[in-house]
Amino acid sequence: MDLDKKVSYKNLNRKLFIPLFLFILVELVVTMGFMGRLEMNIYDAWFRLKGQQQPGEQVVVVAVDEASINKIGPLAWPRSVHAKLLEGLKEAKVVGFDMVFDSPSSAAEDQAFAESITRHGKVVLAGSFTYAKDDLGHLEQRLLTPHPYFMSAGLAGLGFANTPTDPDQVIRRATLVDVNTFDIPFPSFGMAVALVAQDIDPRDIQLANNQLMVGKNNIPIDNSNRALVNFWGPRGAFTTISYVDVLGGKVAASFFKDKIVLIGDTTAMGHDEWPTPFTTTNMVLSGSLPTPGVEIHASTVNSFMTNRWFRQTSPFINIIFLALAGFATSFLVAGRGPWKGLLGTLFLVAIAVAVVFLSWQAHWWVNLAAPIVLIFLTYAATTATDFMQAEMARRKTKAMFSRYLSPDVVNELMQSPDQVSLGGKRQELTIMFCDIRGFTAYSEGKAPEEVVSRLNEYLTAITHVIFRHGGMLDKYLGDGLMAIFGAPVFYEDHIERAIRASVEIQKAIGNLNQKWTAQGTPALNVGVGINSGSVLVGNVGSPERMDYTVIGEDVNLASRVEGLTKNFGTLIVISERSVQKLPDNCELRSSLEFLGQAEVKGFTLPIGVYTVVPHAASGTGRE
């Protein structure tokens, strides 16, 4: 196996090993639950980013608010007050009381409320699960129900009002049914209201494969029968009317026609306020107060009525997404340096955020925190590894070359130390000679500083062009230079690069001549000669001073070809040896013009030569 293959395998192994190791590490952290709260915070952020949405008009909240308590008195109110309220809600499709009427009051009060429940026919009351120890000391779940007097009054539905919170005490889900107390699934308060609204018998509820099948709805639930509720906004997102306004007749009964009405306490004294995804603690920067429980039930009811629940993706999908994030980062970042790598990392972060947000828009909860952490960890580890390996390679190569190469050449080689081919071997490449025409005559009678300044400007421009096209500056030759294309780093298109560089050199010199002409000094042209062939590449010189250069008859021919520019009256001359080696489909072939055969000193047979036609490349000209 050669050196290049070893390097390739080494880089591939690094690209695979780093993200694999970090993927296992991050997935272990996820499995242990350390990412849970961060994922929940991101999930909440999507709601706040999208902002409050219009939930529609089918669900209305009648609030037991401060104004109602100031008018009617402190809770608990006489049951006849609720009976009177039901008269004002007689046209509502369903009325749900988020209150547990478990204790009796006076017989007259209870009778009035019971009769109003019977008359309305579509009233749902709330119960509540409590936990107590049985005679054996075991903790058991018990349902606290409304008083039997109301249970026998023709209730349309009954549901438990308990709502679970996540570990950070935020309500994102609702337990839709309980299967621990009765032989059939027992609905939550919000579910019971929705069932009555759609005339569905609770006995028709079915559970299978994390799906709650109710009528035509298949609701995604977890192993605890909890569903991710769609929240339309912060506190007050639903149409909310004060209890006392309905009681006092300020809102016509027709307003509630065919609406679902939920009644509940919204005061701070009621202690029934909970954080939701829209709740923020910073009240200065668009803060949002906790949401009353009755509004959370309204969100559950509306989620059922619109069938717009959120779904949490399976762990398998999250693992695949996490792995893709890590490996994509490694392949995008490796070998590109810290800044390009950072841009690639931010690009991947943007893609990950977009994918997760679009998934959330489609009501899928895909984990984002873990992929983001893995992306940045992979970037940091890959960049650090690249830096250490590059520094080791730089030091090794620099130590090897600094004894016999100029600092400029060493620095050029340091850009790609892994690709450097060293010492004495034959190689096909292209040699270029450049010479500034008439520079000797120009320099006569001028101050050395002026001559050197202009020479440096020309040579600098030519050198920059050579470097841009992947060439290597071999040496400066007075008012000219020698460059090679294809070493020390070899590339297949070294001939095309040299030809394109010669064209751009003419353009660069043309720009300089315009500047000098405007300053009143004569323009100078640069002749370029190009030849390709097999030459010896390696270190030439003495132990005290060595140069990395090329030798061979094709080097000599390149020098002679540059001299032919004067004979043929053109600024670029390319030998037939270069042209013959161009690929048949090379677009540069159509840009070349045959000049003829030329006798060249040191060569027995004439050499065919070409130039670049003026119209084919800007900046090419003739003398």
Side-chain angles (χ1 to χ4, degrees):
M1 181 181 296
D2 60 29
L3 180 60
D4 290 339
K5 289 184 177 180
K6 288 182 180 179
V7 172
S8 177
Y9 281 120
K10 184 177 179 181
N11 291 337
L12 181 60
N13 290 337
R14 185 173 78 251
K15 290 180 180 180
L16 293 176
F17 174 75
I18 291 177
L20 179 61
F21 172 77
L22 293 176
F23 162 75
I24 294 173
L25 179 64
V26 172
E27 182 57 31
L28 181 62
V29 172
V30 171
T31 304
M32 295 174 66
F34 293 116
M35 291 282 187
R37 293 206 175 190
L38 189 54
E39 295 289 1
M40 288 185 281
N41 290 336
I42 294 174
Y43 175 76
D44 296 346
W46 300 137
F47 282 95
R48 296 193 291 271
L49 178 64
K50 187 174 182 180
Q52 181 171 331
Q53 306 296 304
Q54 175 55 249
E57 300 295 333
Q58 63 180 338
V59 180
V60 177
V61 173
V62 172
V64 178
D65 53 11
E66 299 288 347
S68 300
I69 291 177
N70 291 336
K71 181 72 174 180
I72 302 172
L75 295 172
W77 293 334
R79 304 280 166 77
S80 59
V81 175
H82 299 308
K84 184 178 179 182
L85 179 76
L86 282 176
E87 290 300 318
L89 301 174
K90 58 186 177 182
E91 295 191 38
K93 179 185 289 188
V94 185
V95 176
F97 281 89
D98 184 21
M99 304 172 184
V100 181
F101 298 102
D102 58 314
S103 302
S105 61
S106 67
E109 293 289 335
D110 290 344
Q111 181 178 358
F113 187 37
E115 289 175 352
S116 66
I117 291 173
T118 303
R119 282 194 302 272
H120 193 285
K122 294 290 185 178
V123 176
V124 177
L125 296 184
S128 178
F129 281 115
T130 60
Y131 300 89
K133 291 184 178 181
D134 58 16
D135 295 338
L136 299 177
H138 299 147
L139 193 66
E140 65 175 3
Q141 179 177 285
R142 299 173 182 173
L143 179 63
L144 182 64
T145 63
H147 192 270
Y149 199 80
F150 305 123
M151 293 288 290
S152 61
L155 279 180
L158 175 67
F160 61 90
N162 308 70
T163 303
T165 60
D166 283 332
D168 57 356
Q169 303 305 308
V170 175
I171 291 179
R172 299 179 181 88
R173 315 165 205 263
T175 302
L176 299 185
V177 293
D178 176 77
V179 294
N180 300 317
T181 306
F182 303 101
D183 294 333
I184 61 173
F186 181 68
S188 67
F189 174 68
M191 176 65 72
V193 171
L195 292 176
V196 173
Q198 292 197 349
D199 293 323
I200 299 175
D201 192 321
R203 290 171 293 186
D204 293 335
I205 297 175
Q206 297 181 21
L207 290 168
N209 300 323
N210 293 117
Q211 293 283 324
L212 182 66
M213 291 163 282
V214 186
K216 297 181 180 180
N217 294 340
N218 290 337
I219 305 172
I221 56 175
D222 60 16
N223 294 329
S224 300
N225 301 321
R226 302 179 305 170
L228 282 166
V229 176
N230 186 16
F231 291 91
W232 275 262
R235 180 188 186 112
F238 288 88
T239 301
T240 302
I241 302 172
S242 177
Y243 189 110
V244 72
D245 289 342
V246 179
L247 196 66
K250 292 183 179 179
V251 182
S254 60
F255 173 80
F256 299 102
K257 183 176 176 60
D258 296 329
K259 288 182 171 62
I260 299 170
V261 180
L262 299 182
I263 305 163
D265 191 346
T266 62
T267 64
M269 295 299 295
H271 301 293
D272 189 25
E273 296 177 323
W274 303 92
T276 70
F278 279 97
T279 303
T280 54
T281 56
N282 192 328
M283 297 305 297
V284 177
L285 299 176
S286 64
S288 176
L289 291 170
T291 302
V294 65
E295 291 192 35
I296 295 174
H297 292 307
S299 294
T300 302
V301 172
N302 213 37
S303 295
F304 184 93
M305 299 301 291
T306 59
N307 196 27
R308 295 180 65 186
W309 304 91
F310 278 86
R311 293 166 170 80
Q312 196 155 14
T313 53
S314 68
F316 176 75
I317 296 297
N318 283 321
I319 288 174
I320 294 298
F321 186 50
L322 180 64
L324 287 175
F327 285 104
T329 304
S330 178
F331 278 87
L332 190 62
V333 168
R336 287 175 169 79
W339 295 113
K340 289 184 179 179
L342 180 59
L343 290 176
T345 298
L346 296 178
F347 174 71
L348 283 178
V349 169
I351 289 179
V353 171
V355 168
V356 173
F357 181 66
L358 291 175
S359 300
W360 182 88
Q361 292 274 45
H363 287 217
W364 284 96
W365 180 356
V366 181
N367 286 348
L368 179 62
I372 294 297
V373 169
L374 180 58
I375 287 173
F376 279 108
L377 282 177
T378 304
Y379 162 72
T382 302
T383 302
T385 302
D386 284 349
F387 176 79
M388 290 186 291
Q389 291 187 343
E391 187 60 27
M392 291 173 62
R394 284 174 60 85
R395 291 183 181 184
K396 181 179 179 180
T397 306
K398 193 168 185 177
M400 184 183 305
F401 278 96
S402 58
R403 294 184 297 109
Y404 49 82
L405 289 179
S406 67
D408 289 341
V409 177
V410 172
N411 291 334
E412 179 72 14
L413 294 177
M414 292 302 100
Q415 300 301 316
S416 53
D418 292 339
Q419 303 180 42
V420 175
S421 299
L422 303 177
K425 70 173 184 179
R426 279 207 164 266
Q427 183 173 320
E428 284 280 342
L429 49 77
T430 299
I431 308 97
M432 172 190 289
F433 278 85
C434 300
D435 181 67
I436 302 176
R437 301 285 182 76
F439 191 79
T440 302
Y442 163 79
S443 60
E444 290 181 3
K446 291 184 173 59
E449 293 81 4
E450 180 184 349
V451 173
V452 171
S453 175
R454 187 165 186 184
L455 177 62
N456 287 344
E457 193 164 2
Y458 275 106
L459 294 178
T460 298
I462 297 171
T463 302
H464 286 171
V465 172
I466 291 170
F467 284 164
R468 276 199 297 273
H469 288 270
M472 174 185 167
L473 177 65
D474 184 283
K475 59 178 68 72
Y476 290 115
L477 305 168
D479 57 1
L481 58 83
M482 171 184 169
I484 57 177
F485 292 80
V489 180
F490 180 76
Y491 33 78
E492 296 289 344
D493 60 340
H494 55 89
I495 301 175
E496 295 98 309
R497 289 173 180 256
I499 295 174
R500 290 192 175 95
S502 69
V503 173
E504 189 174 334
I505 285 172
Q506 302 305 327
K507 182 177 180 180
I509 297 304
N511 294 336
L512 280 179
N513 283 334
Q514 290 180 6
K515 170 186 171 183
W516 286 104
T517 301
Q519 295 177 358
T521 56
L524 297 175
N525 292 321
V526 173
V528 180
I530 295 173
N531 180 53
S532 302
S534 177
V535 297
L536 186 66
V537 184
N539 303 316
V540 178
S542 66
E544 291 77 18
R545 176 68 180 181
M546 302 189 75
D547 285 326
Y548 183 83
T549 187
V550 293
I551 58 175
E553 75 167 31
D554 282 292
V555 178
N556 297 332
L557 180 57
S559 177
R560 299 285 189 259
V561 167
E562 187 279 321
L564 293 177
T565 58
K566 301 175 183 178
N567 298 347
F568 286 97
T570 185
L571 295 177
I572 300 174
V573 173
I574 306 164
S575 76
E576 62 183 1
R577 295 187 181 183
S578 293
V579 175
Q580 290 168 358
K581 291 180 173 63
L582 284 172
D584 292 337
N585 59 350
C586 178
E587 62 181 16
L588 286 176
R589 282 186 172 274
S590 61
S591 304
L592 301 179
E593 177 184 297
F594 182 65
L595 295 174
Q597 300 283 336
E599 298 287 343
V600 178
K601 184 179 179 181
F603 291 83
T604 304
L605 298 177
I607 302 296
V609 290
Y610 295 75
T611 191
V612 181
V613 296
H615 61 80
S618 175
T620 301
R622 295 175 179 269
E623 288 189 309

